[in-house]
Amino acid sequence: MTPSPLPSSRTPSSWAAFTAAEPVLARLAEERFGAFTHHVLATLRKDGSPRTTGLEVRFLNGELWLGMMPDSLKALDLRRDPRFALQANPGPGTGMGGGDVRVSGRAVEVEDGAAKSAYVEEVKPPQPFHLFRTELTEVVRTYVEDDTYLVVQVWKPGEPVRTLRRT
C-alpha cells in the first residue's frame, strides 16, 4: 500500500521546526514522553490493519528518534509504509499528569553513517538496530483544566495550535 500524499499545507515537519513554531507545546510533549521510558507505537501491517507495540523514544539534536531491534515487525512495517502514531505512556492510575500526548507522522530510516554514529554515541543502543527520524504531521495534547474542561490542543505543520475546550 502506497501512502497517500499530503496536501502541500501539511508538509511533514521535523521536531526542531515544531519546537520553533510552538515551543510551549513542544516542551510539554517532551516532558510527557520523558516521564516514562516505554511508549506505544502504532504502525500499519501489510494488510493495512494497525499494529501496536512498545517503544523507547529519544529527543536529540532537534529530532524525535525511534530506535528498533533489527528486523522487528514494527521496523519492517515502517520500511513498507512510513506512517505512524506514537502515544506517550499515560503512567499509572488515571491521573494523566501532564496530559495525554500523541504524535503522528512518517518515519524515515536513517542510513547516514554520521547521523547514526552520533545517535549511537549518545544513546548506546544494542547493535545492530534500525533508526528512524520522524517527520511530524500532527501533535495532539489532551488534558483536563480546572476539573471542568477537557482541553484538546492540535498542531499541524504550517498551522497554529488549535485549542478545543469541552465541558
Side-chain angles (χ1 to χ4, degrees):
M1 171 185 284
T2 302
S4 59
L6 293 169
S8 60
S9 65
R10 300 246 334 258
T11 301
S13 177
S14 69
W15 191 264
F18 166 55
T19 299
E22 297 294 340
V24 173
L25 182 57
R27 180 183 49 77
L28 291 168
E30 285 189 41
E31 287 173 0
R32 191 71 193 99
F33 278 102
F36 297 94
T37 303
H38 296 97
H39 307 286
V40 178
L41 176 72
T43 58
L44 295 169
R45 300 171 191 253
K46 283 183 193 178
D47 67 3
S49 64
R51 179 191 318 274
T52 59
T53 54
L55 180 76
E56 294 180 28
V57 303
R58 296 281 195 268
F59 295 91
L60 297 170
N61 304 320
E63 300 285 358
L64 169 56
W65 301 96
L66 312 175
M68 299 166 203
M69 292 176 15
D71 297 323
S72 63
L73 293 175
K74 59 191 158 198
L76 298 176
D77 286 348
L78 290 173
R79 281 180 156 180
R80 185 179 50 262
D81 185 329
R83 293 175 291 175
F84 75 92
L86 179 65
Q87 174 93 35
N89 185 329
T94 59
M96 295 292 291
D100 175 56
V101 175
R102 297 178 308 278
V103 176
S104 299
R106 300 207 171 156
V108 178
E109 188 160 15
V110 175
E111 300 292 344
D112 175 79
K116 205 165 181 179
S117 292
Y119 181 88
V120 167
E121 191 172 310
E122 183 72 29
V123 178
K124 299 177 183 28
Q127 301 283 334
F129 70 105
H130 295 284
L131 180 62
F132 294 85
R133 78 175 166 74
T134 60
E135 294 180 343
L136 311 179
T137 56
E138 183 178 66
V139 176
V140 178
R141 178 176 179 242
T142 305
Y143 63 97
V144 176
E145 181 178 83
D146 299 331
D147 290 327
T148 304
Y149 301 100
L150 178 67
V151 180
V152 180
Q153 296 175 297
V154 180
W155 174 84
K156 294 180 181 179
E159 299 177 15
V161 171
R162 187 180 57 187
T163 300
L164 310 162
R165 283 185 171 76
R166 300 181 189 153
T167 55

